[in-house]
Amino acid sequence: MSRRLDERREAYQRYKRDVNERGKPFYPYAMFHDTVMSLVVVSVIAALAVIWKLTAEEEPDASGALGVLYGEEADPGTTNFIPRPDWYFYFLFYLLRIFKWPDSVILGTVGVPTIALMLLLALPFIDLRRERKLLRRPVAIVAAILTVVSMGVLTYKGATARESLGTEAVLAVPEWVEQQQLPQEAEAGARLFAESSCLNCHIYLGSGAANLGAPELTEIGASNKGVDYFRQYVANPAKFGNQRMPPFQGLGDENLRNIGIFLDASKGPK
Amino acid sequence: MPRRKSARRQKLEQLIAYPIDWLEERSGLIGGLRYFLLRKVPGDTSWWHTLGSATLTAFIVQTVTGVVLAMYYKPDPDKAYESIRFITDDLTFGWLVRGMHRWGASVFIILMFFHMARVFLFGAYKYPRELNWIIGVLLLVLGMLEGFTGYLLPWDQTAYWATVVGINLNGTAPFLGPFLAQFLQGGAEIGNETLSRFYAMHMLLIPGGLFALIGLHLYLVIRLGVSSPPWSPEAAGEERVEAPPEGRAGLVQPGPRGGYAK
Ligand code: HEM
């Protein structure tokens, strides 16, 4: 152990001597490279901003090459879109799809990222060999390739994962009405349900995605909890001990009642 | 013997030297700058070594554009969206500042990963640079948190709902999770409190941490020196058979800088 430490110290002394004898001054040599690179970075960032602005302005409806300048204003009530984090969180986003609620989702949100972080932090203490040449570090090569490939795959999958869009779910409403034999007064609620973000977390007759441990709602009406219960629940789930579902107070009383009627009428396909 | 300088020239030189000497005498900063600029780096440092300063440049772009945005942005759910719209559509070059801040964030994150990959492939995290690797990992985490908190600020649908999911995910962590989620959210729902919190973290807390850690990171880079590319035949610190001293004919013909032990 101490022999290894001595060797490392010796190597570092040798490094310092070599640099002193044969190195070159930071200015102007390395600084030249750094300056060129910095100019490239600033230009690339400015170019991205320009492309973003120009392409998004050309066709205001379609998003430009780099996306819209800004989306619609946040509206806690009616939403029908996909919650998307920034691209560097896609891998995490997709991990959640691999680990399903409730037994293993903690592995996805906490477990895997924590282990990865611990490994990163511990790397200099795991790899104690002095060898720096890549071809003589087979474990490092394999680990690097595995990391890059898995992060790439997860990011790609996260980018292309299709959650059901509210607008698409609306098309399924007539089918719901038929299969569930919904009464007419439940149809308005069905449409609202499809347009709001409910299906981002809940599954209804095969539409939507199971997220955050949200239960399937296809047969929720069979519990006979009543319209009023659902109305209050959806308005403020926190009151019922549900911290994961956002409050939908913003939908307004009328809409909440309609959703309540719809949920109460959903008693499973006949 | 050098030609005697004219009196005029001498005076001019004194005039230039005076403020520099004044500053040096009182602070030692000039000496520090000289040390920083003229310190030796391995002769074989390459373009790979520019990734760190490229990351630093991206960070500086974020700081400058961020300060400008902060002058016009209003962290209030009723005004945030409108202020972003104003910056993008009406403010002169506001779109450029906001665009650079927005895309600079991605460039910053990418460069951090590239820089980390370079450090990994060079084996530059080994003795004595372990601590700088750890500081680097913390920088990576803080950088991504900066991205997460900044994402909410435009207060559009994507921002809002991505944050809903993000906060809820925090809530799933054992023990601390619910507390963390509650702390981030600030109130019963995502609104005023949440936006203020994210703004404070995005503007003060996390950048403060980043500044401090980057300072420490660069201090260690200067103190320890950057590593040579390991495959370079000139790699500093490599064990090598010393060339026989001059004047004594060696049995082995030494290479220009001696052969290598391995
Ligand atoms: C805000 C982000 C960062 C900035 C501004 C930054 C800046 C720098 C600079 C300017 C250098 C000098 C050599 C070079 O450019 O390659 C350097 C070296 C280094 N960086 Fe970073 N860095 C950052 C993030 C990271 C990360 C994420 C890691 C790894 C987890 C890391 C680990 C290191 C190590 C170990 C060195 C020493 C390399 C050597 O001696 O060859 N840094 N950093």
Side-chain angles (χ1 to χ4, degrees):
Chain A
M1 181 67 211
S2 84
R3 200 179 65 91
R4 188 146 70 182
L5 196 62
D6 285 343
E7 265 178 21
R8 290 196 274 164
R9 288 196 178 124
E10 215 172 280
Y12 184 57
Q13 290 310 321
R14 208 160 43 230
Y15 161 87
K16 289 220 283 210
R17 194 161 8 90
D18 282 355
V19 171
N20 254 334
E21 284 169 6
R22 306 193 269 114
K24 37 183 203 191
F26 175 72
Y27 172 86
Y29 297 98
M31 191 145 165
F32 166 73
H33 287 139
D34 283 343
T35 311
V36 172
M37 188 64 168
S38 296
L39 290 176
V40 170
V41 169
V42 175
S43 316
V44 167
I45 295 175
L48 283 169
V50 171
I51 293 171
W52 176 61
K53 163 86 170 168
L54 291 184
T55 58
E57 221 158 45
E58 224 160 65
E59 29 190 343
D61 307 324
S63 53
L66 294 178
V68 291
L69 294 181
Y70 39 79
E72 281 170 32
E73 182 164 10
D75 179 355
T78 49
T79 50
N80 50 351
F81 80 97
I82 328 169
R84 263 293 148 76
D86 223 344
W87 62 268
Y88 39 86
F89 288 117
Y90 282 170
F91 74 98
L92 206 60
F93 198 58
Y94 198 75
L95 267 182
L96 301 175
R97 237 139 277 257
I98 298 178
F99 297 99
K100 281 291 172 206
W101 192 277
D103 316 309
S104 58
V105 76
I106 285 181
L107 279 180
T109 53
V110 187
V112 174
T114 309
I115 292 169
L117 199 60
M118 291 296 173
L119 280 178
L120 261 186
L121 283 171
L123 173 69
F125 309 101
I126 299 172
D127 178 11
L128 285 169
R129 290 166 60 228
R130 208 149 49 73
E131 183 60 63
R132 295 202 301 123
K133 285 203 182 71
L134 197 56
L135 288 179
R136 300 214 192 112
R137 295 158 60 206
V139 181
I141 296 181
V142 173
I145 293 176
L146 283 182
T147 308
V148 168
V149 169
S150 56
M151 286 293 274
V153 169
L154 283 175
T155 301
Y156 174 78
K157 291 282 220 178
T160 52
R162 281 173 54 86
E163 269 164 303
S164 85
L165 280 158
T167 43
E168 289 165 356
V170 172
L171 301 177
V173 169
E175 198 183 316
W176 294 352
V177 172
E178 193 188 320
Q179 283 202 32
Q180 298 263 45
Q181 299 188 358
L182 297 176
Q184 211 173 357
E185 72 258 28
E187 275 185 45
R191 212 165 297 115
L192 267 169
F193 180 83
E195 284 172 352
S196 308
S197 56
C198 316
L199 289 168
N200 288 338
C201 300
H202 294 281
I203 288 188
Y204 190 91
L205 270 178
S207 299
N211 268 324
L212 300 174
E216 177 167 352
L217 294 178
T218 315
E219 299 180 16
I220 188 71
S223 60
N224 284 325
K225 284 173 175 157
V227 176
D228 230 36
Y229 169 84
F230 290 127
R231 188 174 58 81
Q232 289 176 19
Y233 189 99
V234 176
N236 188 5
K239 227 169 48 197
F240 296 80
N242 179 356
Q243 301 283 355
R244 282 167 271 148
M245 177 169 147
F248 286 89
Q249 197 82 61
L251 285 174
D253 254 358
E254 161 102 30
N255 287 337
L256 285 168
R257 227 185 87 77
N258 280 334
I259 287 186
I261 295 173
F262 162 69
L263 289 175
D264 191 51
S266 303
K267 304 199 193 284
K270 308 255 155 55
Chain B
M1 237 193 71
R3 200 159 53 85
R4 274 193 66 144
K5 289 173 186 161
S6 71
R8 228 183 128 133
R9 200 189 155 119
Q10 256 179 7
K11 219 170 188 160
L12 197 70
E13 274 175 9
Q14 266 174 9
L15 214 64
I16 295 171
Y18 182 75
I20 297 177
D21 290 343
W22 188 92
L23 194 63
E24 170 64 11
E25 189 182 344
R26 268 144 260 246
S27 68
L29 281 177
I30 303 295
L33 189 66
R34 279 180 67 89
Y35 175 77
F36 170 74
L37 287 176
L38 299 180
R39 73 188 206 273
K40 290 277 189 64
V41 293
D44 48 9
T45 50
S46 60
W47 286 102
W48 291 107
H49 287 83
T50 62
L51 284 168
S53 52
T55 315
L56 183 64
T57 306
F59 180 73
I60 293 170
V61 168
Q62 290 309 95
T63 317
V64 173
T65 53
V67 168
V68 176
L69 288 176
M71 292 174 183
Y72 297 94
Y73 175 77
K74 302 198 172 61
D76 175 327
D78 295 331
K79 301 192 190 125
Y81 183 74
E82 192 47 42
S83 67
I84 288 288
R85 212 200 51 68
F86 171 79
I87 291 169
T88 318
D89 291 345
D90 300 337
L91 189 68
T92 315
F93 286 118
W95 62 270
L96 184 63
V97 174
R98 178 164 170 242
M100 285 182 75
H101 196 74
R102 184 189 164 131
W103 294 104
S106 290
V107 170
F108 174 62
I109 302 259
I110 293 177
L111 285 173
M112 262 200 296
F113 275 109
F114 281 2
H115 170 57
M116 185 165 108
R118 164 339 243 166
V119 169
F120 181 81
L121 297 179
F122 277 41
Y125 52 84
K126 301 186 178 203
Y127 176 91
R129 301 187 179 85
E130 300 98 323
L131 193 57
N132 224 10
W133 172 267
I134 291 174
I135 293 172
V137 176
L138 297 180
L139 280 170
L140 188 70
V141 172
L142 280 187
M144 293 186 74
L145 281 180
E146 187 73 349
F148 175 66
T149 49
Y151 206 56
L152 176 68
L153 303 185
W155 204 253
D156 57 13
Q157 289 283 49
T158 326
Y160 182 85
W161 289 101
T163 306
V164 170
V165 174
I167 289 183
N168 287 333
L169 292 183
N170 274 304
T172 65
F175 312 119
L176 285 179
F179 293 102
L180 190 61
Q182 194 51 44
F183 168 74
L184 285 173
Q185 190 155 326
E189 52 184 13
I190 294 188
N192 211 343
E193 275 16 84
T194 323
L195 189 54
S196 304
R197 256 159 221 231
F198 274 54
Y199 186 63
M201 281 189 274
H202 187 76
M203 293 261 307
L204 292 167
L205 191 62
I206 304 173
L210 279 170
F211 266 114
L213 286 177
I214 288 177
L216 212 57
H217 197 67
L218 297 183
Y219 165 73
L220 287 182
V221 167
I222 293 168
R223 184 185 159 91
L224 301 172
V226 291
S227 51
S228 268
W231 53 79
S232 153
E234 306 253 321
E238 201 77 4
E239 285 159 70
R240 46 179 74 79
V241 178
E242 296 299 331
E246 220 140 351
R248 197 175 356 128
L251 294 171
V252 192
Q253 200 66 19
R257 289 215 154 90
Y260 301 103
K262 290 192 254 184

